[in-house]
Amino acid sequence: MSNPLLNLPQLPPFDQLQPHQVAPAISELIARCRQQLQQGLKDPGWESTLVPLEQAQDQLNRAFSPVSHLNSVLSGEWRSPYEAALALITAYWAEQGQNRDLYAVYQQLAGAPEFEHWPQPRKQSVVLGLRDFELGGVGLHGEARRQFAENRRRLAQLSSEFANNVLDATNAWTWHTEDAGVLAGLPQTALAAARSAAKGKKLPGWLITLEGPSYLAVMTHADNRALRREVYTAFVSRASEVGPNGGTYDNSTLMETILSLRADQARLLGMANYAELSLASKMAPSTERVLEFLNDLIGRAKPAAEREMAELREFAGTTYGLEDLQPWDLSWASEKLKQQRYAISQEALRPYFPYSKVVEGLFTLVEKLFGVAVAADNSVATWHEDVQFFWLLKGDERIAGFYLDAFAREEKRGGAWMDTVCSRRQTGRGLQLPIAYLVCNFSPAAGEMPSLLTHSEVTTLFHEFGHGLHHMLTKMDVEAVSGINSVAWDAVEMPSQFLENWCWQPAVIPMISCHYQSGAALPQAMLKKMLAARNFQSAMFTLRQLEFALFDFRLHCCSEAMSAEKIQQLLNTVRSEVSVVPVARENRFQHAFSHIFAGSYAAGYYSYKWAEVLSADAFSLFEEKGIFDRTTGEHFLHTILEQGGSRDALALFTEFRGREPKIDALLRHSAIEGQEQSISPA
């Protein structure tokens, strides 16, 4: 029987894919890539070497994509095949990055007289290719060369193990009860989900888990303080040496080794630390500039955050007698204060944001802004019955597609993300369309109740769709700069954060909301309260992001070995400088900080705030011109979304905005004072 991974159609046949197919397919496709490279090197050139190599490597990428994806959304039997394939893939790319013969082809192309007259996407792919060769260790020799490649292989393996430990630790803990009284305060949606979770385990009563919707519901609404403490402790101690499963899925040693290997990679390339290596492919010009940016924002946000925390302490003490406000009280007390001040809550809004209505409204908005329609295709095979597939249409023409996997379930990695099935590129058989995965972890339908979203979850959906548009609306035909490929990582969050802004617009709310039973519009009184509460504790939220970003960046600025104890000490130091909230003794946030230990944000978590300056400033043009202004929307489409990584991110922003970025809009949107001084990432 033929292996479908060896000759994939445009869309992966998920109903045919099996774990045993992975190893032979990946091995064969890597062999084809090596063979193609050797053939191409006989006649060096763009058309004779790089174009056919791109084709061979695209087949490899498209085969690995569903394997990696299924490991994230199903795990289980896909874990071992994925990890074996990851080792092969990593070794191949390390080998490719150090291939001096291929590097010489890039150098030859860049030095040719006609190079300056090449189309920009092709030219940029060569320029960035040369950079990536240098960062891949092409200039290393002997033992250093071998060590660099081995480090790269080990880092991929350890990052996967880190993510597995977080997922396993999350799934390992549950809390069961048959007493409805201890769940007082939980909204009906959360109770229905807890009952459904219990039934899934053949248990009576209710089951609380550490999956996002369940955890957040308890922390925000459970009146039982002991329950909040128990769930909180289990969550913040995941994958560490403490807590209810302490030591079982402990990421301590993995963190130490990952940091050591990253520091070694930087040293081998002659750099001071991994942060410097990370910035070599980002917008930020130096480690000093990033630290200045973060510390400047901290200085602006902290006074307001201290006032917000003082208000919360006073409220909790006066109203509920909580004189010793603890970490497991913060979300609960904040929700109570928010309701008292604004008479609104996420749960009160939830019935007005049924998932299907939100999705429908999101698609309508995108058509208004960018002139692209979205159409479902129920004939496409998926990996789970809840997953949907859609095409993006320009007129009657399909220009892209995406899978939408919206709901939380066991064995699915937490959080929300966009990933690529394949990129837009020109092939010998025509244009390959860009296809994306969009993944969230919302509460699914329970019984007769459909999936209902909090407004925060609505924002998450818009955020991930913004990433998807960046991938899908590109006009670049060279894969290396198509979609999000080669976009500076501290700019890649811009389109996603940009799209979030429409979730708060009074003219958009009717498009994405209606009561799930009556179909009634969100009452104007509730809308006004929701908008009034938009910046409730925004400084505390900003400071939390900055705490994570500063910890990540300082951690990767260290050149010395970092033990688990030193990592904890650094985090404690950052918290003492930045945080205004109490921290539990059992908190091991770093042990589940997958963004930096299992993702692409190492020495790059600052990117969320860096890119938010760009996104807020970009949206301010719509505030000036009109939030549905088609001319401005098409200008954003042509200057940002279509360009992919073909040009410098700052140059693209400047073309869109007519000037370099300013921080004023971010400070205004966040209700943070001090707009007079510019700390924009220009």
Side-chain angles (χ1 to χ4, degrees):
M1 185 176 177
S2 62
N3 189 329
L5 289 171
L6 287 173
N7 190 24
L8 285 171
Q10 183 178 41
L11 302 175
F14 283 103
D15 54 346
Q16 299 175 31
L17 300 184
Q18 299 294 329
H20 72 267
Q21 299 163 346
V22 177
I26 296 300
S27 296
E28 181 170 337
L29 290 169
I30 288 175
R32 291 181 188 176
C33 289
R34 290 180 174 134
Q35 183 180 13
Q36 180 57 62
L37 175 58
Q38 292 309 310
Q39 182 66 31
L41 289 174
K42 294 176 181 177
D43 180 23
W46 175 267
E47 294 291 344
S48 54
T49 307
L50 300 192
V51 170
L53 182 60
E54 180 190 89
Q55 172 63 27
Q57 290 179 163
D58 180 67
Q59 287 185 290
L60 175 61
N61 290 337
R62 291 203 300 122
F64 185 60
S65 169
V67 176
S68 174
H69 179 70
L70 290 171
N71 176 63
S72 294
V73 296
L74 294 181
S75 192
E77 61 180 356
W78 286 96
R79 180 177 293 183
S80 293
Y82 162 75
E83 291 176 347
L86 178 65
L88 294 174
I89 291 274
T90 305
Y92 170 74
W93 287 115
E95 167 194 314
Q96 179 87 336
Q98 294 185 346
N99 190 303
R100 295 196 181 106
D101 291 333
L102 183 58
Y103 180 52
V105 175
Y106 276 78
Q107 289 178 309
Q108 176 185 319
L109 293 172
E114 64 272 16
F115 182 72
E116 288 304 315
H117 303 290
W118 277 17
Q120 178 62 23
R122 183 188 296 189
K123 187 162 60 175
Q124 183 79 335
S125 71
V126 172
V127 171
L128 296 180
L130 287 169
R131 179 201 69 188
D132 292 342
F133 272 111
E134 291 157 10
L135 296 179
V138 73
L140 299 177
H141 299 274
E143 177 59 21
R145 182 183 179 88
R146 187 204 64 79
Q147 189 60 54
F148 192 91
E150 173 62 13
N151 287 354
R152 186 168 176 176
R153 182 195 68 79
R154 290 192 65 205
L155 280 167
Q157 174 192 348
L158 296 173
S159 293
S160 179
E161 290 179 16
F162 186 98
N164 290 341
N165 282 344
V166 175
L167 176 61
D168 291 344
T170 300
N171 289 335
W173 188 92
T174 58
W175 185 88
H176 175 247
T177 185
E178 297 181 46
D179 180 5
V182 298
L183 300 176
L186 287 186
Q188 287 302 312
T189 52
L191 289 171
R195 185 176 286 281
S196 179
K199 286 182 179 178
K201 298 290 187 182
K202 296 183 170 53
L203 295 171
W206 298 265
L207 191 71
I208 300 299
T209 73
L210 297 183
E211 292 177 3
S214 179
Y215 169 75
L216 290 173
V218 171
M219 299 316 302
T220 308
H221 301 287
D223 293 330
N224 186 323
R225 195 183 191 196
L227 173 61
R228 293 201 307 270
R229 179 174 185 172
E230 188 170 352
V231 176
Y232 174 87
T233 301
F235 187 83
V236 301
S237 63
R238 288 174 303 158
S240 77
E241 82 285 10
V242 300
N245 289 312
T248 308
Y249 308 101
D250 190 0
N251 271 332
S252 297
T253 301
L254 290 178
M255 289 190 300
E256 295 171 353
T257 309
I258 288 170
L259 291 172
S260 175
L261 290 172
R262 286 174 178 167
D264 198 39
Q265 296 296 76
R267 179 189 62 79
L268 288 168
L269 292 178
M271 297 182 182
N273 49 55
Y274 185 79
E276 190 176 313
L277 174 55
S278 173
L279 294 189
S281 56
K282 293 182 170 66
M283 280 182 70
S286 66
T287 56
E288 294 77 14
R289 185 70 186 90
V290 172
L291 291 171
E292 176 192 0
F293 174 77
L294 293 175
N295 287 320
D296 217 340
L297 266 180
I298 289 167
R300 295 166 184 268
K302 190 168 183 178
E306 288 173 333
R307 291 193 296 272
E308 291 171 354
M309 189 61 203
E311 291 172 355
L312 185 63
R313 288 187 187 280
E314 181 180 2
F315 169 78
T318 302
T319 309
Y320 294 99
L322 287 177
E323 300 297 340
D324 60 331
L325 200 64
Q326 295 297 322
W328 46 88
D329 300 322
L330 295 178
S331 295
W332 180 83
S334 293
E335 183 67 15
K336 297 295 186 185
L337 175 57
K338 184 178 179 181
Q339 290 186 41
Q340 183 199 70
R341 183 172 297 175
Y342 301 103
I344 197 68
S345 70
Q346 290 283 342
E347 288 304 317
L349 291 167
R350 194 191 285 268
Y352 289 93
F353 291 99
Y355 169 77
S356 58
K357 178 65 175 180
V358 175
V359 169
E360 176 189 338
L362 170 60
F363 295 167
T364 301
L365 171 66
V366 168
E367 186 168 11
K368 280 179 174 288
L369 291 176
F370 307 123
V372 292
V374 186
D377 187 342
N378 297 324
S379 69
V380 174
T382 66
W383 54 93
H384 190 275
E385 60 184 6
D386 289 340
V387 177
Q388 297 174 281
F389 183 84
F390 300 89
W391 292 106
L392 284 190
L393 306 174
K394 190 78 170 179
D396 295 328
E397 179 187 1
R398 292 176 176 177
I399 61 171
F402 63 97
Y403 298 88
L404 182 53
D405 185 351
F407 306 117
R409 57 180 178 271
E410 194 173 354
E411 300 297 332
K412 180 181 177 183
R413 179 159 64 88
W417 67 92
M418 187 282 293
D419 205 353
T420 62
V421 181
C422 58
S423 299
R424 176 185 162 112
R425 54 181 296 272
Q426 192 64 48
T427 76
R429 294 175 292 182
L431 186 66
Q432 176 174 288
L433 300 183
I435 309 293
Y437 305 111
L438 300 179
V439 184
C440 299
N441 272 280
F442 305 143
S443 296
E448 296 183 0
M449 185 179 294
S451 174
L452 304 174
L453 306 187
T454 64
H455 190 260
S456 176
E457 289 173 328
V458 172
T459 305
T460 296
L461 180 62
F462 273 59
H463 180 101
E464 299 309 330
F465 202 71
H467 279 308
L469 292 176
H470 201 184
H471 172 65
M472 293 186 288
L473 294 183
T474 185
K475 282 292 185 69
M476 299 302 102
D477 294 345
V478 178
E479 185 165 19
V481 296
S482 176
I484 63 170
N485 295 333
S486 297
V487 175
W489 207 248
D490 42 9
V492 80
E493 293 293 334
M494 177 200 170
S496 52
Q497 294 172 330
F498 167 79
L499 200 61
E500 289 181 31
N501 288 285
W502 275 266
C503 298
W504 295 96
Q505 301 306 306
V508 174
I509 297 297
M511 296 164 53
I512 60 174
S513 67
C514 69
H515 195 278
Y516 78 99
Q517 290 175 314
S518 67
L522 181 69
Q524 282 298 305
M526 291 184 72
L527 174 60
K528 289 179 181 178
K529 293 172 184 176
M530 184 186 90
L531 297 177
R534 176 179 182 177
N535 287 314
F536 175 69
Q537 295 184 345
S538 63
M540 286 172 64
F541 175 77
T542 296
L543 213 57
R544 179 173 179 266
Q545 284 187 302
L546 292 170
E547 174 192 323
F548 298 165
L550 188 61
F551 165 65
D552 161 50
F553 207 75
R554 281 195 190 172
L555 186 65
H556 287 99
C557 280
C558 293
S559 55
E560 63 177 292
M562 294 295 288
S563 65
E565 291 75 18
K566 284 186 176 180
I567 295 170
Q568 184 67 58
Q569 289 169 9
L570 176 62
L571 180 55
N572 292 343
T573 299
V574 170
R575 283 173 171 159
S576 69
E577 297 172 5
V578 179
S579 181
V580 299
V581 301
V583 179
R585 180 174 53 83
E586 304 91 346
N587 189 304
R588 294 295 185 273
F589 161 76
Q590 65 273 25
H591 285 71
F593 198 0
S594 295
H595 275 77
I596 70 167
F597 287 113
S600 304
Y601 286 85
Y605 199 84
Y606 77 90
S607 300
Y608 282 101
K609 278 301 172 190
W610 188 276
E612 196 174 352
V613 173
L614 305 177
S615 65
D617 198 7
F619 181 70
S620 70
L621 186 59
F622 284 86
E623 292 178 305
E624 296 170 14
K625 303 292 186 180
I627 63 165
F628 296 129
D629 185 65
R630 184 64 169 271
T631 301
T632 308
E634 290 186 348
H635 186 41
F636 187 83
L637 172 67
H638 299 324
T639 56
I640 305 293
L641 300 178
E642 291 181 351
Q643 298 300 315
S646 66
R647 291 171 56 199
D648 176 75
L650 181 58
L652 291 177
F653 177 90
T654 303
E655 183 178 343
F656 169 71
R657 200 63 181 88
R659 55 166 173 75
E660 291 193 344
K662 296 181 180 179
I663 197 172
D664 305 48
L666 171 61
L667 298 174
R668 174 167 49 83
H669 292 167
S670 302
I672 296 175
E673 298 174 358
Q675 298 182 26
E676 69 284 349
Q677 181 183 353
S678 174
I679 55 167
S680 71

